[in-house]
Amino acid sequence: MEVKINSVHFNADQKLVEFVNKKVNKLDTFFDGILKAEVTLKVAKPEAANNKVSELKLSIPSQDYLFAKKQADSFEEATDLAIDAIKKQLVKYKEKLKSK
């Protein structure tokens, strides 16, 4: 699976990039057909708390994509929340495929 990470208005350090890659690549255990993943990291309002936003967009066959956007105090926490939301969507999608 191809993972593309975009950081808006800042440069993501290597540890953050590795963390996101590791987490996103684990989604393969839930669904084999993931084509690519796009992760966008951005700071919503620099002066506010809880301002780190992580958007996760998964491209899957036969459907356009799955999307999750979460906000938290750190990029790691926001990414974890987005991954959890995508996992739920993947489980629903797999159940829908099995029922056909």
Side-chain angles (χ1 to χ4, degrees):
M1 166 178 41
E2 175 192 341
V3 179
K4 183 178 177 188
I5 301 173
N6 302 318
S7 50
V8 181
H9 300 306
F10 76 100
N11 291 326
D13 67 335
Q14 192 60 35
K15 281 172 64 175
L16 180 59
V17 170
E18 288 170 5
F19 174 83
V20 171
N21 269 320
K22 189 174 110 181
K23 288 287 187 175
V24 171
N25 281 317
K26 283 186 179 178
L27 288 173
D28 272 340
T29 59
F30 291 90
F31 187 70
D32 293 333
I34 299 171
L35 303 172
K36 70 177 185 174
E38 282 183 46
V39 182
T40 305
L41 305 171
K42 56 186 166 185
V43 179
K45 295 178 182 166
E47 67 280 349
N50 208 17
N51 63 351
K52 309 291 191 296
V53 178
S54 180
E55 297 177 355
L56 179 56
K57 181 177 171 181
L58 285 187
S59 297
I60 53 176
S62 75
Q63 189 176 356
D64 295 336
Y65 59 85
L66 300 176
F67 182 80
K69 176 180 179 179
K70 296 294 176 183
Q71 193 165 341
D73 285 327
S74 70
F75 286 117
E76 290 84 359
E77 188 181 350
T79 301
D80 276 339
L81 292 171
I83 295 272
D84 289 342
I86 286 285
K87 282 179 190 174
K88 289 177 187 168
Q89 291 179 40
L90 280 172
V91 168
K92 276 186 183 176
Y93 178 68
K94 279 176 67 173
E95 287 174 3
K96 195 187 273 185
L97 282 179
K98 285 180 185 174
S99 67
K100 285 184 178 177

